[in-house]
Amino acid sequence: MTQRQMILGMQLGNGYGSQGAAWRAPGVDVSNYTSFDAQVRYARAAERGKFAFLFLPDFLGQLGAGLDHEAPMLTLEPLLTLAAIARETERIGLVATGSTTFNEPFNLARSFKALDVMSHGRAGWNAVTTSDAASAANFGRQIAPRPERYQRAHETVQVVQALWGSWGRDAWLKDAEGARFADPAQIQPVNLQGEHVASRGPLAIPPSEQGQPVIFSAGGGAYGLEMAGRYASAVIGAVFTIDDARAQREAIRESARLAGRDPDEVKFFAGVMPAIASTTREALDRRVALGEHTFPARVAYLGSMLGLRLDVGQIDEPLTADQLDAARPSPGDPRSPRALEVAREGWTIRDVLAHGVIDYHPTPVGPAAVTADHMQEWFEAGACDGFWVSIDVYEDGIDTFVDQVVPLLQERGLYHHDYEGPTLRDHLGAPHQYGTDPRLT
Ligand SMILES: Cc1cc2nc3c(=O)[nH]c(=O)nc-3n(C[C@H](O)[C@H](O)[C@H](O)COP(=O)(O)O)c2cc1C
């Protein structure tokens, strides 16, 4: 029996990296926010590491506080970015986030299927409901209650998939001699009318090499779980412990079972945000430099995670014995136990923060083997089917991951040496689907 292997995706945002100060890091061109060449370079580096997909988060009201010293975290526009990347890569999957609330199904169906055709079957759609007021404000609207947003989301995914299937698989005849371009009998309207969205169809786009795009999901809670169980081939998670990840993965698998699907059809991805250098000290220094302007403002929050009042004046000192005695991890933040664990190792507060204890994902710190060990431990514990990797500074960080972590995972038999096939469905082991899933009626 062959060993189960992990699948990797890579987060791709602005032209700099997943750390807010990446735009100022050594060797980074500050103009990369608008550079599609830079995005292509990062995508090709990830493809060299046989990453299954690029994952582009998206929010529709991203400009918030901090713009005076931090770059916006997202690409200028995810689908256009992936279109540029599609033309310069051959294998890597291309997953963009698209809102089910602030798009019409016909627009989503058309754009994503065009990307799927353009990339020869590598597109994925991360269907999100959008829950932030700043996004809604850009449409002159307000965020509707969750049940309403999710009902619209269900309708939208179903209409989109129906539109994808509306150009029949074999409808495109390409018969020049017989002067028959396509068979209209196989290209039929969908005539779907929901409570929130509707479409007549058909969509004028033939199937791609994988049929149609793959659905991703990144939601939480009962509503998000139901979406994932019904439609998703991959779920992007935000989890901080093996136990939590295992529970979330199991909940998603159960939700798929309830929807009448095989749970193995849904892959769960845990996040990881590695800090890699030849020594632990160098890896911490990389993060200390990136946190120069943000760490002082985070000291008070770190204190609240530990049940302490911490003063920024202590930032270059470790916690005292009395502070460590009094410290209690806050139940309000799942990252707190790890923060306390690191603090107990005697690091200064600045170094505790450099361990990524307030970052979005677990941060293994040190030589590449530390990251490989972390990934192996989580994977073998059944916490995930793979990882979405957030690289601190793309310019050098992707190559470091590909050159140092990937070979270790391969040597350990945990990661493939090459792509299994040409399409994103192949990379994910997702079954073929064209149109809506007949099991979900
Ligand atoms: C790992 C992860 C990534 C997410 N990425 C996005 C994103 O790119 N865009 C977005 O609008 N929401 C994103 N979300 C938010 C969820 O889709 C969802 O809207 C959020 O959990 C709020 O849930 P609600 O819609 O049930 O209120 C993400 C959530 C998680 C856990």
Side-chain angles (χ1 to χ4, degrees):
M1 202 178 112
T2 52
Q3 189 179 344
R4 182 175 156 253
Q5 292 196 317
M6 63 174 75
I7 306 169
L8 298 185
M10 198 183 79
Q11 177 267 2
L12 196 62
N14 62 27
Y16 309 111
S18 64
Q19 292 285 316
W23 68 277
R24 299 170 58 239
V28 173
D29 183 339
V30 293
S31 302
N32 279 351
Y33 181 48
T34 56
S35 170
F36 288 84
D37 291 339
Q39 300 284 12
V40 165
R41 197 163 60 244
Y42 307 145
R44 291 173 77 131
E47 189 169 65
R48 195 165 62 78
K50 313 300 176 194
F51 274 66
F53 59 89
L54 299 168
F55 178 81
L56 275 63
D58 198 41
F59 291 86
L60 299 164
Q62 62 157 321
L63 289 183
L67 200 57
D68 58 335
H69 60 272
E70 288 193 354
M73 293 311 293
L74 305 169
T75 57
L76 300 185
E77 206 285 330
L79 279 161
L80 290 173
T81 302
L82 289 178
I85 290 171
R87 301 289 300 159
E88 303 286 338
T89 52
E90 290 180 355
R91 284 285 178 270
I92 195 162
L94 310 168
V95 183
T97 298
S99 173
T100 56
T101 300
F102 298 110
N103 285 296
E104 290 299 319
F106 192 84
N107 301 125
L108 289 164
R110 187 182 193 192
S111 300
F112 276 91
K113 202 174 181 202
L115 178 69
D116 204 32
V117 168
M118 176 195 280
S119 64
H120 301 287
R122 294 187 281 143
W125 170 31
N126 176 38
V128 298
T129 51
T130 306
S131 52
D132 63 298
S135 293
N138 281 341
F139 296 83
R141 309 238 300 265
Q142 292 189 325
I143 291 294
R146 193 171 280 134
E148 187 181 322
R149 276 186 291 123
Y150 276 89
Q151 173 156 357
R152 183 182 163 109
H154 281 278
E155 290 178 10
T156 299
V157 173
Q158 288 170 22
V159 172
V160 166
Q161 292 192 327
L163 285 165
W164 284 341
S166 66
W167 179 296
R169 242 182 284 242
D170 304 312
W172 194 8
L173 302 174
K174 301 184 200 170
D175 176 7
E177 257 177 48
R180 295 199 314 154
F181 182 75
D183 175 8
Q186 296 184 53
I187 302 172
Q188 293 290 333
V190 298
N191 288 323
L192 285 172
Q193 174 72 56
E195 237 176 81
H196 300 277
V197 295
S199 187
R200 185 185 64 184
L203 187 69
I205 305 181
S208 74
E209 282 79 344
Q210 67 170 355
Q212 68 191 27
V214 177
I215 305 287
F216 276 56
S217 166
Y223 288 93
L225 210 54
E226 200 196 338
M227 284 281 294
R230 288 172 74 91
Y231 314 110
S233 298
V235 176
I236 300 292
V239 276
F240 294 97
T241 64
I242 287 179
D243 286 346
D244 186 21
R246 225 197 249 131
Q248 282 203 32
R249 177 169 180 253
E250 203 32 66
I252 290 158
R253 291 171 62 82
E254 181 57 23
S255 178
R257 245 179 238 122
L258 286 172
R261 300 169 69 205
D262 176 347
D264 288 340
E265 291 176 33
V266 194
K267 304 295 190 293
F268 179 67
F269 293 87
V272 65
M273 226 171 197
I276 303 171
S278 30
T279 64
T280 304
R281 184 65 260 163
E282 281 175 44
L284 288 174
D285 286 345
R286 183 177 168 96
R287 287 301 169 89
V288 164
L290 289 166
E292 183 189 347
H293 292 279
T294 46
F295 283 3
R298 290 185 174 184
V299 172
Y301 185 76
L302 177 66
S304 75
M305 287 167 78
L306 303 176
L308 303 171
R309 286 174 73 93
L310 291 183
D311 186 276
V312 69
Q314 199 189 339
I315 193 166
D316 287 311
E317 291 159 35
L319 297 193
T320 65
D322 283 351
Q323 284 172 321
L324 286 173
D325 269 354
R328 298 284 176 277
S330 159
D333 191 320
R335 300 169 292 191
S336 303
R338 169 76 184 146
L340 182 54
E341 187 186 307
V342 176
R344 284 200 175 121
E345 290 169 7
W347 301 99
T348 66
I349 289 175
R350 198 185 294 277
D351 284 343
V352 172
L353 292 167
H355 277 81
V357 298
I358 308 187
D359 276 327
Y360 300 119
H361 303 291
T363 297
V365 178
V370 177
T371 292
D373 291 349
H374 170 95
M375 295 169 76
Q376 178 166 9
E377 187 189 0
W378 279 53
F379 182 66
E380 289 182 344
C384 58
D385 298 285
F387 297 86
W388 66 298
V389 183
S390 288
I391 299 289
D392 49 11
V393 181
Y394 301 139
E395 198 63 68
D396 62 339
I398 302 172
D399 283 332
T400 300
F401 188 94
V402 168
D403 292 332
Q404 298 184 22
V405 180
V406 163
L408 290 176
L409 297 172
Q410 288 171 332
E411 276 165 30
R412 298 177 190 183
L414 295 165
Y415 188 60
H416 63 182
H417 288 261
D418 205 351
Y419 289 103
E420 285 71 29
T423 71
L424 178 55
R425 277 179 203 280
D426 294 330
H427 308 341
L428 295 170
H432 185 75
Q433 182 179 335
Y434 198 62
T436 50
D437 185 340
R439 295 168 298 184
L440 311 172
T441 42

